[in-house]
Amino acid sequence: YGMYAYTDMAGAFNRTGLQGTYSYHIPFRASQLSFGVSLTGFQFRIDENKMTLLDADDQLLLNTEKSALIPDANFGVYYTDAHIYAGVSAMQLFQSPLKMGADKDGPGFKMMRHYFLMAGYRFEINRDLLLEPSFLLKTTDQFVSQLDVNVKTYIKEYYWAGLSFRTGGSYSIV
């Protein structure tokens, strides 16, 4: 179990929240299956003093409450043994609405649910060299997706180096 508090500020928008997490592990002979769940709540705020408006009498801004409380939850499953690991998880399960303004029953924005699928395998090339390819697929309910493909090399289990490619043209060398 664990808990953390956070504050995220981006221009006129602030998010301050608290998340509590619990995990349960089922050990097998040489592997483990783990489950995790998180409950979260945050306050979304707009600081109009940090905004520059073209129309100072903008009715949308004048008639809008400047904060909202948002509850949510996350869930995941993870399997690991000496050579393989795999996991699947989902965030923002409640797809909580972000409704601000005088008309709380009117249209608003929903938090978009995100799904993650990841796996990797550790190949023993020889006693001092391991090769670990892996991937991470991130997607949403609208099938907006991104894929990371990685390979990491371990030398004598003390040193490592890796390459990573992300769809959209991003590369990294570590």
Side-chain angles (χ1 to χ4, degrees), residues 86-89 115-119 135-139 147-148:
V88 61
S89 62
Y115 302 97
F116 302 87
L117 174 65
M118 54 89 70
F135 75 90
L136 170 64
L137 175 65
K138 301 171 268 188
T139 190
L147 177 66
D148 295 357

Side-chain angles (χ1 to χ4, degrees), residues 22 27 30 36 44 50 53 65 78 134 142-143 159 165 167 172:
Y22 175 77
F44 182 82
K50 293 183 178 178
L53 300 174
E65 290 183 33
Y78 183 73
S134 64
Q142 283 76 31
F143 300 106
Y159 307 100
F165 168 76
T167 54
S172 66

Side-chain angles (χ1 to χ4, degrees), residues 71-96:
D72 223 322
N74 311 313
F75 177 77
V77 178
Y78 183 73
Y79 173 82
T80 186
D81 69 19
H83 296 283
I84 194 168
Y85 56 90
V88 61
S89 62
M91 294 182 64
Q92 297 163 187
L93 290 175
F94 296 168
Q95 291 185 302
S96 298

Side-chain angles (χ1 to χ4, degrees), residues 44-60:
F44 182 82
R45 292 185 314 269
I46 299 173
D47 183 352
E48 62 184 291
N49 295 323
K50 293 183 178 178
M51 294 179 152
T52 304
L53 300 174
L54 296 176
D55 179 5
D57 295 326
D58 186 321
Q59 292 301 308
L60 182 61

Side-chain angles (χ1 to χ4, degrees), residues 6-66:
Y6 62 90
T7 296
D8 180 27
M9 294 178 272
F13 304 101
N14 300 317
R15 220 168 68 147
T16 301
L18 184 65
Q19 179 170 309
T21 301
Y22 175 77
S23 64
Y24 183 76
H25 309 284
I26 302 171
F28 298 106
R29 187 175 301 164
S31 62
Q32 180 172 289
L33 182 63
S34 302
F35 300 88
V37 64
S38 295
L39 296 176
T40 185
F42 67 89
Q43 181 183 31
F44 182 82
R45 292 185 314 269
I46 299 173
D47 183 352
E48 62 184 291
N49 295 323
K50 293 183 178 178
M51 294 179 152
T52 304
L53 300 174
L54 296 176
D55 179 5
D57 295 326
D58 186 321
Q59 292 301 308
L60 182 61
L61 185 61
L62 292 175
N63 293 323
T64 299
E65 290 183 33
K66 306 305 185 275

